[in-house]
Amino acid sequence: MNLYPHSPEAKVQDYREDELFLTIENLRSELLEVAQERSLSDHVVLELSQRLDGYIVMAQNLMMESLRSRKAGAVSYGKSKRIRNKAALQQ
């Protein structure tokens, strides 16, 4: 979890995510164009489709990683809050 959302690491991560989604969109557009001109079983269409699939899997993994880290941060925050509350009650 990034504690500093405006840190250089966060900017690089955002840039990479933006670049990934831009690549996906560009490949998707190219695939649609090529598929209209060629057979769906054409090697160029299949290659583009496989490349697009790979980038989509990368984006899904990135989103799942982000979700897991947010959940881990929320669990960690919840535990520390309960510990502080318990300590306050004992005083």
Side-chain angles (χ1 to χ4, degrees), residues 36-66:
Q36 287 178 350
E37 299 168 2
R38 299 175 183 235
S39 165
L40 293 180
S41 61
D42 186 89
H43 75 281
V44 175
V45 174
L46 294 175
E47 182 184 315
L48 283 170
S49 179
Q50 289 172 346
R51 284 179 51 203
L52 179 58
D53 288 347
Y55 283 106
I56 289 171
V57 168
M58 286 191 321
Q60 289 173 333
N61 288 337
L62 187 63
M63 287 186 273
M64 291 303 295
E65 182 182 310
S66 176

Side-chain angles (χ1 to χ4, degrees), residues 1-5 7 65-66 68-77:
M1 184 171 121
N2 188 357
L3 299 176
Y4 307 101
S7 70
E65 182 182 310
S66 176
R68 281 191 293 270
S69 68
R70 276 190 260 140
K71 282 185 176 181
V75 168
S76 173
Y77 173 75

Side-chain angles (χ1 to χ4, degrees), residues 6-91:
H6 300 294
S7 70
E9 294 87 13
K11 290 178 184 177
V12 168
Q13 180 72 20
D14 289 343
Y15 173 75
R16 288 183 184 151
E17 287 176 15
D18 291 345
E19 191 174 277
L20 177 61
F21 291 113
L22 184 61
T23 300
I24 288 171
E25 185 57 32
N26 289 337
L27 275 173
R28 189 188 68 80
S29 295
E30 185 178 354
L31 177 60
L32 288 173
E33 283 181 32
V34 172
Q36 287 178 350
E37 299 168 2
R38 299 175 183 235
S39 165
L40 293 180
S41 61
D42 186 89
H43 75 281
V44 175
V45 174
L46 294 175
E47 182 184 315
L48 283 170
S49 179
Q50 289 172 346
R51 284 179 51 203
L52 179 58
D53 288 347
Y55 283 106
I56 289 171
V57 168
M58 286 191 321
Q60 289 173 333
N61 288 337
L62 187 63
M63 287 186 273
M64 291 303 295
E65 182 182 310
S66 176
L67 180 62
R68 281 191 293 270
S69 68
R70 276 190 260 140
K71 282 185 176 181
V75 168
S76 173
Y77 173 75
K79 284 182 182 178
S80 64
K81 187 174 180 181
R82 283 193 299 269
I83 290 169
R84 284 193 305 269
N85 289 342
K86 186 175 180 181
L89 289 174
Q90 290 175 348
Q91 290 178 354

